[in-house]
Amino acid sequence: MPHNDRPATLRDVAAAAGVHPATASRALNPGTKLLVSEETAQRVAEAAERLGYRPNPVARSLRTRRSHTIGVLIPDLNNPLFPPIVRGLEDRLAKHGYVALIGNTDLDTTREQMVFDQMRARHVDGFVLATATLHNPILAEAAEADLPVVLMNRTAQGYPFSSVSVDNEQGERAAVDHLASLGHTRIGHIAGPQDVSTGVARLRGFFDGMDGHGLTVDDAQVVTATGYSIEEGLRCGRELLETNRDLTAIVAANDLLAVGCYGALDELGLRCPEDMSVIGFNDMPFIDRLRPPLSTVRFPHYKLGTEAADLLLERIEDADSPVKILYLAPELVARGSTVPLAATTSADDGRDDESRLAANTVPLRRGVARRKR
Amino acid sequence: MPHNDRPATLRDVAAAAGVHPATASRALNPGTKLLVSEETAQRVAEAAERLGYRPNPVARSLRTRRSHTIGVLIPDLNNPLFPPIVRGLEDRLAKHGYVALIGNTDLDTTREQMVFDQMRARHVDGFVLATATLHNPILAEAAEADLPVVLMNRTAQGYPFSSVSVDNEQGERAAVDHLASLGHTRIGHIAGPQDVSTGVARLRGFFDGMDGHGLTVDDAQVVTATGYSIEEGLRCGRELLETNRDLTAIVAANDLLAVGCYGALDELGLRCPEDMSVIGFNDMPFIDRLRPPLSTVRFPHYKLGTEAADLLLERIEDADSPVKILYLAPELVARGSTVPLAATTSADDGRDDESRLAANTVPLRRGVARRKR
DNA sequence: TTGTAGGCGTTATCAC
DNA sequence: GTGATAACGCCTACAA
């Protein structure tokens, strides 16, 4: 009979090799293998092989209090930004015998808490959090319970958590530099939500960049989204365009916002890039397939995942390992959505006479440039 | 001291309630709660609450041989087709206390086997397979081990597995109908890989549809991709266009293939939809943002996931539950990439004189229509 | 209705 | 170097 229906257990292996289960255990575990004689180790290994022995991770977990499972909290897997990151995480974790439990929070606090609790109940060995808003109860909870945590694309001051994220400030500065180098001076910004660190940092990068080129920024030139979504991009794009009739370029804090902005341009009969240059952030998959292909600031998604995994594993293996704040450098990707000012239809040229803009536009107020805080 | 560092165990609860652990266990489990007096049940519940008791799922799993964990094998999370499906799965599974372990196989057989083995070792309670090629060793393995399995977007004859998929044949027929109703008669097909059921079914649907309109299909009018990817779409699109100079429409077996086909058209200086109508399959997220927005055949991704979860849970709860083959109806989504033949530049109009096509085009061979097998 | 006892499969800690 | 023993936390016959 080649195949017993009950899977072979350590006892079976021990019996087959004529040793005590404890010895078999030692022989099979790399860490304790050296405690056992070469010869018996061999015998046990053969027996295990022959019986098709697979250690039962559940039993092992119960004993070692290690589940080899990592909880990963992300806003929404449907956001194309995350799949590559998650793959990076999973691939790297798998290499070390860990698996990831993915939890979608939809940025809903109660849902997030639920998922978090669920995962704690399942005794995950650590967490990767990509959802943390700046002041988040689960951060405190995790800190108090001394859980290994790595923040992804988020930073949180005041907690002893490692994090890996993009240098958002530098990235957005590069976006402004790019537009400025194309000759644009009247540049609007669709800012990300200000309760997450990326939104704050990118806004700061925008101001910095403008400042660096001696460009002033009117209050009305910045519209803040309440979330990173196409809908918010549409809303903010509308507002921005209606309030600022002389813009020639828009920096969106994220690709989805930029996509929404495309829609706003469409509505107003404006074309990108002929009438308006637009640049996003993230270089989401497929964003290069839009028409026009979106210029954006790329960061290495997959690598973000692998680095986060490394940081977390490090922390799990050694609870005293130092907290590390890792920034990955972003990279500007110029595509068809940004063109030189010279190639841009002058803001005064074709707009007014075609009265494409809504009637309730307000006169442009020129204020003092807001500075980096 | 409000917070003991060691989490409360069942013994602790029992002690606090002044009962035996067994009684506490019964009181806390819905199924056995009725075996215990109302009053003690109350007392135990309070104690549990007070101590913040969380049952240890690892210990429970060891005892009950249920991990409440489901293995999900998909080709690649980066394929935008899958996130919504996976979310459907996860959401529904979570509702029943299960979590999903996602495994990316990259359609690599050895990798797939590895992931499968890993998950078996972790004692998952069942599998959802979205990767199964038509003849797949893990199907046999799962069948022999009598593992609960549900196939997703795949069907496999000869195995007692439930499955949920789209009616691919009907969907592709609808695509052909759509083009035919627009007046197109010279329609090419980029077929999906023929070792997965979707590729086969959609090809059959294509032939059926053409047949239904009395349209013949030359051998050269069908080019078969080796995988569902943009690259393959590009390659097949090139081949199709070079070999068939009079096509006015192309049916791609999948959106990614269609996107690749867009690229092939670009290369040849052909425009969609002016010179060529293109239709895809899947209605991937963001595919409506392409220029032109891709006409396609939509199916309910999220629902596919939830249905698969239901089928699997049913099978897990009751091993004797009947095998169910579930088909979800697809729906045609007409967008900008398909236009009436009347609006299409005649195939002979502008192409030859601009010699956009490669020199090595072969003369069109008209053969017998291939029929449904 | 509740308590007793045993075991799920593994590993840590003793002895020998 | 190896064996014996206990324990991780929970559940479930069975007995009372």
Side-chain angles (χ1 to χ4, degrees):
Chain A
M1 199 180 287
H3 172 264
N4 297 322
D5 52 346
R6 204 177 47 74
T9 155
L10 189 56
R11 301 169 74 106
D12 302 336
V13 174
V19 297
H20 192 274
T23 306
S25 172
R26 285 188 275 256
L28 258 20
N29 280 65
T32 49
K33 189 173 184 175
L34 40 91
L35 295 179
V36 94
S37 87
E38 183 66 29
E39 186 220 1
T40 49
Q42 189 68 24
R43 207 145 33 90
V44 171
E46 276 166 13
E49 169 73 20
R50 186 153 38 83
L51 299 182
Y53 170 71
R54 305 305 239 143
N56 182 332
V58 178
R60 176 176 287 170
S61 285
L62 182 59
R63 187 61 235 225
T64 62
R65 323 184 123 260
R66 282 280 177 89
S67 65
H68 286 260
T69 298
I70 303 296
V72 179
L73 266 57
I74 61 173
D76 181 10
L77 200 54
N78 285 311
N79 183 335
L81 180 63
F82 290 107
I85 297 178
V86 168
R87 282 233 45 185
L89 264 169
E90 289 182 338
D91 288 356
R92 182 57 56 91
L93 288 177
K95 215 170 262 174
H96 294 259
Y98 285 76
V99 301
L101 252 35
I102 311 300
N104 299 90
T105 68
D106 293 326
L107 292 181
D108 175 70
T109 314
T110 46
R111 200 185 145 93
E112 179 178 28
Q113 186 70 49
M114 243 185 51
V115 174
F116 181 75
D117 288 343
Q118 286 272 351
M119 287 181 171
R120 283 204 65 183
R122 282 190 174 254
H123 287 193
V124 297
D125 294 338
F127 280 96
V128 175
L129 304 180
T131 61
T133 44
L134 286 179
H135 303 288
N136 194 307
I138 74 177
L139 290 182
E141 204 174 320
E144 192 189 354
D146 202 30
L147 296 171
V149 168
V150 166
L151 302 177
M152 210 165 53
N153 219 11
R154 296 281 186 276
T155 56
Q157 265 111 36
Y159 290 109
F161 299 143
S162 291
S163 67
V164 46
S165 46
V166 181
D167 190 335
N168 290 288
E169 202 165 330
Q170 179 196 324
E172 207 67 300
R173 230 183 291 126
V176 174
D177 287 349
H178 169 62
L179 291 171
S181 77
L182 290 173
H184 294 276
T185 57
R186 293 161 313 200
I187 305 173
H189 183 47
I190 302 182
Q194 294 299 298
D195 57 348
V196 299
S197 60
T198 55
V200 175
R202 289 175 196 170
L203 178 60
R204 203 158 48 210
F206 174 76
F207 281 125
D208 258 26
M210 295 294 278
D211 212 40
H213 292 275
L215 300 172
T216 55
V217 179
D218 189 274
D219 274 4
Q221 251 167 284
V222 175
V223 178
T224 304
T226 62
Y228 287 123
S229 68
I230 295 180
E231 292 70 33
E232 274 296 288
L234 183 62
R235 182 184 70 76
C236 296
R238 279 189 197 127
E239 188 175 332
L240 199 59
L241 292 167
E242 288 176 0
T243 334
N244 302 271
R245 309 181 57 171
D246 62 346
L247 294 184
T248 62
I250 294 177
V251 173
N254 148 306
D255 288 346
L256 290 174
L257 293 175
V259 170
C261 190
Y262 272 22
L265 289 169
D266 268 355
E267 285 182 0
L268 297 170
L270 295 173
R271 290 159 308 160
C272 174
E274 291 87 345
D275 301 313
M276 184 76 60
S277 286
V278 175
I279 186 166
F281 203 115
N282 277 351
D283 196 24
M284 280 185 1
F286 290 90
I287 205 75
D288 56 328
R289 301 274 163 184
L290 297 188
R291 197 64 57 84
L294 186 69
S295 295
T296 188
V297 180
R298 169 192 300 162
F299 66 89
H301 309 90
Y302 187 87
K303 180 135 192 145
L304 195 76
T306 59
E307 293 289 349
D310 282 340
L311 251 35
L312 187 61
L313 291 172
E314 193 178 313
R315 188 68 172 57
I316 288 174
E317 307 295 327
D318 172 16
D320 297 326
S321 67
V323 170
K324 294 185 183 170
I325 311 292
L326 186 61
Y327 283 99
L328 301 183
E331 172 193 1
L332 189 100
V333 183
R335 297 205 182 96
S337 68
T338 48
V339 296
L341 180 65
T344 304
T345 308
S346 159
D348 301 321
D349 264 14
R351 294 196 200 173
D352 285 350
D353 32 300
E354 299 188 20
S355 66
R356 290 181 189 132
L357 295 177
N360 61 347
T361 51
V362 304
L364 188 67
R365 291 171 296 133
R366 284 250 166 249
V368 245
R370 196 182 288 165
R371 310 298 294 283
K372 176 178 174 180
R373 281 170 271 189
Chain B
M1 195 180 288
H3 173 263
N4 298 321
D5 51 346
R6 203 178 48 74
T9 159
L10 191 56
R11 301 169 74 107
D12 302 335
V13 175
V19 296
H20 192 275
T23 307
S25 171
R26 285 188 273 255
L28 258 20
N29 281 64
T32 50
K33 190 173 183 177
L34 39 90
L35 295 179
V36 95
S37 87
E38 182 66 28
E39 185 221 3
T40 48
Q42 189 68 24
R43 207 145 31 90
V44 172
E46 275 166 14
E49 169 71 19
R50 186 154 36 83
L51 299 181
Y53 168 70
R54 303 304 238 147
N56 182 330
V58 178
R60 176 177 283 172
S61 285
L62 182 59
R63 186 59 237 243
T64 62
R65 327 185 117 255
R66 282 281 176 87
S67 63
H68 286 262
T69 297
I70 303 295
V72 179
L73 266 58
I74 60 173
D76 180 10
L77 201 54
N78 286 312
N79 181 335
L81 181 62
F82 290 106
I85 297 178
V86 168
R87 281 232 46 185
L89 263 170
E90 288 182 339
D91 288 356
R92 183 58 56 91
L93 288 177
K95 216 170 263 175
H96 294 260
Y98 285 76
V99 301
L101 252 35
I102 310 299
N104 298 90
T105 67
D106 293 325
L107 291 182
D108 175 70
T109 314
T110 45
R111 200 183 146 92
E112 180 177 28
Q113 185 71 49
M114 244 185 50
V115 174
F116 181 75
D117 288 343
Q118 287 271 350
M119 288 181 172
R120 281 205 66 181
R122 282 188 173 254
H123 286 198
V124 298
D125 294 337
F127 280 97
V128 174
L129 304 179
T131 61
T133 45
L134 286 180
H135 303 288
N136 195 305
I138 72 178
L139 290 182
E141 204 174 320
E144 192 189 355
D146 202 29
L147 296 171
V149 167
V150 166
L151 302 176
M152 211 165 53
N153 219 11
R154 296 281 186 278
T155 56
Q157 264 111 35
Y159 290 109
F161 298 145
S162 290
S163 68
V164 46
S165 46
V166 182
D167 190 333
N168 290 288
E169 202 167 329
Q170 179 196 326
E172 207 66 301
R173 229 183 294 128
V176 174
D177 288 348
H178 170 60
L179 291 172
S181 77
L182 291 173
H184 294 276
T185 57
R186 291 161 314 202
I187 305 172
H189 183 46
I190 301 182
Q194 295 299 299
D195 57 348
V196 299
S197 60
T198 55
V200 174
R202 288 175 197 171
L203 178 58
R204 202 158 46 210
F206 175 75
F207 281 125
D208 258 25
M210 294 296 276
D211 211 40
H213 291 277
L215 299 173
T216 56
V217 179
D218 189 274
D219 274 4
Q221 252 167 284
V222 175
V223 178
T224 304
T226 62
Y228 288 122
S229 68
I230 294 181
E231 293 71 32
E232 274 295 289
L234 184 61
R235 182 185 69 76
C236 296
R238 279 188 197 127
E239 188 177 330
L240 199 59
L241 292 166
E242 289 176 0
T243 333
N244 301 269
R245 311 178 59 171
D246 62 346
L247 293 184
T248 62
I250 294 177
V251 173
N254 149 306
D255 288 347
L256 291 174
L257 293 175
V259 170
C261 191
Y262 273 21
L265 289 169
D266 269 355
E267 285 183 1
L268 296 170
L270 296 173
R271 291 159 308 159
C272 174
E274 291 86 344
D275 301 312
M276 185 76 62
S277 286
V278 175
I279 186 165
F281 202 116
N282 277 353
D283 196 24
M284 281 184 1
F286 290 91
I287 205 74
D288 56 328
R289 300 276 164 184
L290 297 187
R291 195 65 54 86
L294 185 68
S295 295
T296 189
V297 179
R298 169 192 298 161
F299 67 89
H301 308 90
Y302 186 86
K303 179 133 191 146
L304 195 76
T306 59
E307 293 289 349
D310 283 340
L311 252 33
L312 186 62
L313 291 172
E314 194 178 312
R315 187 69 172 57
I316 288 174
E317 306 296 327
D318 171 17
D320 297 326
S321 67
V323 170
K324 293 185 185 171
I325 312 292
L326 186 60
Y327 283 99
L328 301 183
E331 172 192 4
L332 189 101
V333 183
R335 298 204 181 95
S337 69
T338 46
V339 294
L341 180 65
T344 304
T345 309
S346 159
D348 301 322
D349 265 15
R351 292 195 201 172
D352 286 350
D353 33 297
E354 299 187 22
S355 67
R356 290 179 187 133
L357 295 176
N360 62 348
T361 52
V362 303
L364 187 67
R365 292 172 294 132
R366 283 252 165 245
V368 243
R370 195 183 287 165
R371 312 298 294 284
K372 176 179 175 181
R373 283 171 267 186

